[in-house]
Structure formats: C-alpha cells, structure tokens
Amino acid sequence: MFHKIVERKIVTSRHYLIYIVAGLVLFAAVIVNLSLHTWFSYCLWNYGLVYGSSHHDYSYHFSDESSLADIKSDACGSIRDDIQRECPRFCDYINYFMSAGGIMLFCGIASLIFLLFSVFFHYWKKDKPSFHMKGIWVFVCFPSAFYIIGLVLYCIVGDFANLETTDKGKDDVKDFEMKGGLIMAIVLCAMHLALMTYSLLTTIKSFFN
C-alpha cells in the first residue's frame, strides 16, 4: 500500500513537471509568435500584428515603413488612387488589418497571462500537495480559449477570405499569402489544445481534493 502511494505521488509529480516545462515552452513560443514581423503578405507589403513593410522594391519607393500605420499613411494619401488601381479597396483593408492585429495582440497577451498563472499554480501544487483550487480549470482552459478565439477573430476582422484579387504583373503585387506568423499561430493553437487536454486528463483533478 505504501509503495502504491509513493508511486502515485511520483507519477503525479511527473505530470506537474511535464505541464510546467511544456507551459513555459509554449509561453516563450507565443511571445515569439506575437512579435513576428510577417504574418501574411498582400498587395505590396508584408504585415505583422503591428509591424508592416514593403516586400519588394517598386516604383513608389516608400521608405522608413515600420508599422501598419506607416503603410496606411503612405498608401492612402496622395497616391491612394494609384494603389487602389492595383489593389482594389486597399485603404479599407488596411484598417481591417490594423483592427485585427489589435484584437490578436489583446487575446494573445490575455492567453499569456492565464498560461503563466496556470504554470505557477502547477508549480505550487507540485511543491505543496496540500494546495487546492477548484477554479484551476479557468487557468487551464482560458489560455487556449483566448488564443484560438483571437486567431479566429483576427482572420474574420481582417476579412482575409474576401480580399479582392490584385492586379498582378505590376510592381510585384501579390494576392493574400500566409507567412510564418500566421502559420505559427495555427500550430500554437494545436499546442494550446494539447497542453489543456494533458492537464484535464492528468493534473487538474488533484487540485479539487
């Protein structure tokens, strides 16, 4: 009987450790993802959540662009008609991209906060087995919920599915193309779900009793 109790404690401790390590790896990966400069390309630019820059040299020779606001300022001023001839409705879309980036940043940061608390509570439980917390499910489930909802809203608000076809053949203009940031975000959604599922199957019950 004693050996079974000891074995159970060792297995439980191992589950906590796996969750803590995986959670910290995911935490770091999310920070990297939110910081990436290129999530997708469209028209003449690469876009991040806040960052933006031209993806090629072209006739307008914009310079010093480092944000979506810079792109809007350059593209939707005196040469608005020229840009929208190649990329229809671009000055509407850039507003969508800016709003979408803000939403994803908010949800991503909220996800990080809940994930950090979840990792902390797992560490505390590992160190102090007498610690109980019935509301732990919030901190286990909300990181994935916020990140997935953020990504879904990012794509909806950005209106990526309905972007107009560009006038390709001029100035290296591109239709919508997923890049590293967006692809990584999709992978991280799967990782979030995997970590949440692992906790639901292993560690979460121990917080209740």
Side-chain angles (χ1 to χ4, degrees), residues 50-113:
V50 175
Y51 180 85
S53 67
S54 62
H55 59 66
H56 224 284
D57 293 331
Y58 47 91
S59 58
Y60 300 115
H61 296 294
F62 298 149
S63 61
D64 299 323
E65 289 178 339
S66 61
S67 69
L68 302 185
D70 289 339
I71 293 176
K72 180 180 178 180
S73 177
D74 286 342
C76 300
S78 60
I79 59 170
R80 177 189 182 108
D81 291 340
D82 293 328
I83 292 296
Q84 296 202 134
R85 196 174 298 118
E86 297 186 357
C87 307
R89 296 188 59 205
F90 178 81
C91 291
D92 292 329
Y93 293 146
I94 188 63
N95 289 322
Y96 301 164
F97 300 160
M98 292 170 70
S99 297
I103 291 171
M104 186 64 213
L105 270 178
F106 172 81
C107 290
I109 291 171
S111 175
L112 284 172
I113 292 170

Side-chain angles (χ1 to χ4, degrees), residues 42-43 83-88 164-175:
Y42 178 71
C43 191
I83 292 296
Q84 296 202 134
R85 196 174 298 118
E86 297 186 357
C87 307
E164 296 276 355
T165 301
T166 59
D167 183 10
K168 293 182 289 295
K170 293 183 178 181
D171 298 324
D172 297 307
V173 175
K174 292 182 179 180
D175 287 335

Side-chain angles (χ1 to χ4, degrees), residues 15-198:
H15 288 317
Y16 294 140
L17 184 59
I18 290 172
Y19 183 91
I20 291 166
V21 172
L24 291 175
V25 170
L26 182 56
F27 184 88
V30 168
I31 291 176
V32 170
N33 184 226
L34 296 177
S35 303
L36 287 178
H37 284 184
T38 305
W39 278 51
F40 66 94
S41 295
Y42 178 71
C43 191
L44 296 165
W45 293 274
N46 296 318
Y47 308 84
L49 300 182
V50 175
Y51 180 85
S53 67
S54 62
H55 59 66
H56 224 284
D57 293 331
Y58 47 91
S59 58
Y60 300 115
H61 296 294
F62 298 149
S63 61
D64 299 323
E65 289 178 339
S66 61
S67 69
L68 302 185
D70 289 339
I71 293 176
K72 180 180 178 180
S73 177
D74 286 342
C76 300
S78 60
I79 59 170
R80 177 189 182 108
D81 291 340
D82 293 328
I83 292 296
Q84 296 202 134
R85 196 174 298 118
E86 297 186 357
C87 307
R89 296 188 59 205
F90 178 81
C91 291
D92 292 329
Y93 293 146
I94 188 63
N95 289 322
Y96 301 164
F97 300 160
M98 292 170 70
S99 297
I103 291 171
M104 186 64 213
L105 270 178
F106 172 81
C107 290
I109 291 171
S111 175
L112 284 172
I113 292 170
F114 279 101
L115 179 59
L116 189 61
F117 273 107
S118 184
V119 168
F120 171 75
F121 289 135
H122 276 75
Y123 175 80
W124 198 351
K125 181 66 175 177
K126 178 180 178 297
D127 194 48
K128 299 184 181 300
S130 61
F131 171 66
H132 302 301
M133 184 180 184
K134 291 186 177 180
I136 188 64
W137 66 270
V138 171
F139 298 96
V140 167
C141 297
F142 274 30
S144 57
F146 267 108
Y147 213 76
I148 292 170
I149 290 171
L151 183 58
V152 170
L153 290 177
Y154 178 72
C155 294
I156 292 173
V157 174
D159 204 23
F160 300 146
N162 299 309
L163 295 178
E164 296 276 355
T165 301
T166 59
D167 183 10
K168 293 182 289 295
K170 293 183 178 181
D171 298 324
D172 297 307
V173 175
K174 292 182 179 180
D175 287 335
F176 175 82
E177 182 180 344
M178 291 174 58
K179 294 293 186 178
L182 191 50
I183 295 170
M184 184 178 181
I186 294 171
V187 173
L188 288 180
C189 284
M191 292 176 64
H192 268 293
L193 287 173
L195 184 64
M196 179 186 71
T197 302
Y198 182 80

